[in-house]
Amino acid sequence: KGNKKRKRTEKVEEVSEDQSSSIVQEPPVKAKKVRKKERSKAEKKLSDRENALEQADEEEDQKLFQNKVKQKKKASEAATRSVVNSAVDTTAKQQKRKKVADETVDRRTVFVGNLPVNCTVQVLKSLFKKYGQIQSVRFRSLIPAEDTISKKLAAIKHKLHPSAKFVNAYVVFKEECDAQKALKENGTEIASGFHIRVDTASKTSSHDNKRSVFLGNLPYDIPNDAVREHFHVCGDVVGVRIVRDRKTGLGKGFGYVLFENTDAVHLALKLNNSVLMGRQIRVQRIGEKRKASQKIPDQSRAPKNRVDTTMKKKSYSNDSFVGEKSTPLKKSSKPKRLKTTPRNKAGKNK
C-alpha cells in the first residue's frame, strides 16, 4: 500500500511538473513566432531592394546595349555614306573623263551632210584621206525600208526606204588638225545635185547668225540643192541646212542658209515671198521673230478695263467736254386746266 501511494504521488508530481514546464515553455515559443514574423518583413524589404537594384542593373544593361546598337548603326550608316560618296565621286570623275574624251573625239570628228544614198565608206575615205589618217566612218539619218528592221541592219543590207535620197555621216580623224583641214571640202559636189556640207561635230560650230537667213514655208520634200540654186544669185552659199524628221527624212518646213558675206543677206531678204517649188517661202533674219513677238504684248495686249475707265473719266470731266450750248424751250402761255374731281367725291366733301 505504501508503495502504491508513493507511485501515485510521483505520478502527480510528474504531471504537475509537466504542466508547469508547459506553462513556462509557452511564452518563449510565442516570442519565437513573433521574431520569425519580424524577420520576414525585413527580408521582404531587403528582397524588394535587391529586386529594385536588379531592375536598375538590367535597365542600365539595356541602355548600354541600345547605345552600342545605335553606335553600330551610325558606324554602318557612315560607312555606307562614305561608300556612296566615294561611288558618286567615282561616277562624277568617270563622267568628267567621258566628257573630256567625248570633247576630244568631237574635235577630231567631221560632220558630212547631204550625201547620196548610194555613198559608201570607201568613197568618203578616198575623199578625206588626203587630209590625214581616218579612224572610223559612221553613217547616220538612215531610213529603213521597214519598221521592223533597225538602222544598222538596213545600212548593212542596203534596205533603205525608196523615198530616201540622202544620208549623213561622221568621219573621225586621229588628229585634231586633220579635221580642221578637212573643212575645206565644204560645198564640194560629190555627185550630180549633191553639194556636201562639212562642219565640225563639236558645239563650237562655224555657224554665224549675221551671215545666215531663216527660211519658212518650205516644201517637205525639197532638196538642199534647190535652196542653194534659189539663193545662189544673192552670193556664195557656204551651207544649206533643212531641218528634217529623223524617222521619215522629210523636211519640217523650215531651214537656214549660210552665206560667205553679210552683203548677201540683204539681197536674200528681197527674195521674201518668192515662189520655190510651188510655195511662197518666207525669208527673215535670225532673231527678228523674237523682237517682233516682244513688241506685240506692249502695244496690243492692253486691258479693256483701263480703256473704259479712261473714257469714263474723260466724259465726266468738264475740261475735256466741248459741245454746243443747249437753248431752253419757251414755256407755253396756255393756262393749265384745273383738276376736276368726280361728283361722288365732291358730294362727300360737302
Side-chain angles (χ1 to χ4, degrees):
K1 292 180 181 178
N3 289 327
K4 289 180 180 179
K5 288 181 181 179
R6 287 178 184 174
K7 287 179 181 178
R8 287 178 184 174
T9 54
E10 286 177 359
K11 286 180 181 179
V12 170
E13 285 176 358
E14 286 176 359
V15 169
S16 62
E17 285 178 358
D18 292 330
Q19 288 178 357
S20 63
S21 63
S22 63
I23 292 163
V24 172
Q25 287 177 358
E26 281 179 0
V29 169
K30 288 182 181 179
K32 283 180 181 179
K33 288 181 181 180
V34 171
R35 284 178 185 175
K36 283 181 181 179
K37 288 181 182 179
E38 287 178 357
R39 285 178 184 176
S40 64
K41 287 180 181 179
E43 286 175 357
K44 285 180 181 180
K45 288 181 181 180
L46 289 170
S47 64
D48 294 335
R49 287 178 184 177
E50 288 176 357
N51 292 326
L53 292 170
E54 287 177 357
Q55 288 179 358
D57 293 333
E58 288 177 357
E59 288 177 357
E60 286 180 358
D61 293 334
Q62 287 179 358
K63 286 180 181 179
L64 291 170
F65 181 73
Q66 289 176 359
N67 291 326
K68 286 180 181 180
V69 170
K70 286 180 181 178
Q71 287 177 359
K72 286 181 180 179
K73 285 183 180 179
K74 287 180 181 179
S76 63
E77 287 176 358
T80 52
R81 284 176 186 173
S82 63
V83 170
V84 170
N85 292 326
S86 63
V88 170
D89 293 335
T90 53
T91 52
K93 288 179 181 178
Q94 288 176 359
Q95 287 177 359
K96 285 181 181 178
R97 289 174 183 173
K98 285 182 181 179
K99 283 182 181 179
V100 172
D102 292 337
E103 287 177 358
T104 55
V105 172
D106 289 340
R107 289 173 186 173
R108 292 187 290 109
T109 58
V110 166
F111 172 80
V112 184
N114 197 26
L115 290 169
V117 177
N118 56 4
C119 184
T120 59
V121 177
Q122 294 177 357
V123 173
L124 288 175
K125 283 185 177 180
S126 63
L127 181 65
F128 290 102
K129 68 181 180 181
K130 57 187 174 182
Y131 298 107
Q133 292 182 355
I134 296 169
Q135 187 176 355
S136 64
V137 176
R138 302 189 306 272
F139 284 99
R140 292 291 181 270
S141 303
L142 295 169
I143 302 167
E146 298 176 359
D147 295 334
T148 57
I149 301 170
S150 63
K151 292 183 179 180
K152 189 174 182 180
L153 191 77
I156 293 166
K157 293 185 177 181
H158 298 284
K159 290 184 178 181
L160 301 176
H161 200 272
S163 63
K165 297 179 181 179
F166 68 93
V167 292
N168 300 324
Y170 288 97
V171 180
V172 183
F173 291 91
K174 288 187 177 180
E175 293 182 2
E176 186 178 349
C177 59
D178 297 335
Q180 295 296 324
K181 292 176 185 177
L183 297 176
K184 295 177 183 179
E185 294 293 331
N186 185 23
T188 59
E189 190 174 1
I190 193 171
S192 61
F194 288 95
H195 290 80
I196 61 173
R197 181 170 64 91
V198 183
D199 195 1
T200 56
S202 61
K203 293 180 180 179
T204 59
S205 61
S206 60
H207 187 75
D208 188 5
N209 291 334
K210 293 180 180 178
R211 295 186 291 116
S212 60
V213 164
F214 172 80
L215 305 178
N217 198 25
L218 294 172
Y220 297 116
D221 58 347
I222 188 169
N224 293 349
D225 285 342
V227 178
R228 185 183 287 273
E229 289 177 1
H230 189 74
F231 287 94
H232 185 68
V233 183
C234 304
D236 294 333
V237 178
V238 176
V240 176
R241 185 193 169 203
I242 295 171
V243 181
R244 300 180 184 275
D245 190 10
R246 292 181 179 179
K247 294 181 179 179
T248 60
L250 295 173
K252 293 184 178 181
F254 63 95
Y256 302 92
V257 180
L258 180 64
F259 297 97
E260 284 188 358
N261 299 319
T262 56
D263 297 333
V265 175
H266 298 287
L267 298 172
L269 293 172
K270 294 180 181 179
L271 293 176
N272 188 21
N273 296 325
S274 61
V275 179
L276 178 61
M277 291 181 66
R279 299 194 72 170
Q280 195 173 3
I281 63 172
R282 187 173 69 255
V283 184
Q284 290 179 349
R285 285 181 184 273
I286 294 173
E288 281 186 355
K289 196 173 181 181
R290 293 178 181 177
K291 290 180 182 178
S293 64
Q294 287 175 2
K295 289 180 181 179
I296 288 166
D298 296 335
Q299 294 177 358
S300 64
R301 291 184 183 179
K304 294 180 180 179
N305 294 326
R306 287 186 183 177
V307 177
D308 296 336
T309 53
T310 52
M311 292 296 289
K312 285 179 182 179
K313 286 180 181 177
K314 287 183 180 179
S315 64
Y316 283 113
S317 62
N318 293 324
D319 297 332
S320 63
F321 181 79
V322 178
E324 295 180 358
K325 292 182 179 180
S326 62
T327 55
L329 295 172
K330 291 182 180 180
K331 293 180 179 181
S332 60
S333 59
K334 292 181 181 180
K336 292 182 179 181
R337 291 182 181 179
L338 296 171
K339 291 181 180 181
T340 58
T341 56
R343 292 179 181 180
N344 294 328
K345 290 182 179 180
K348 286 179 181 179
N349 290 328
K350 287 179 183 180

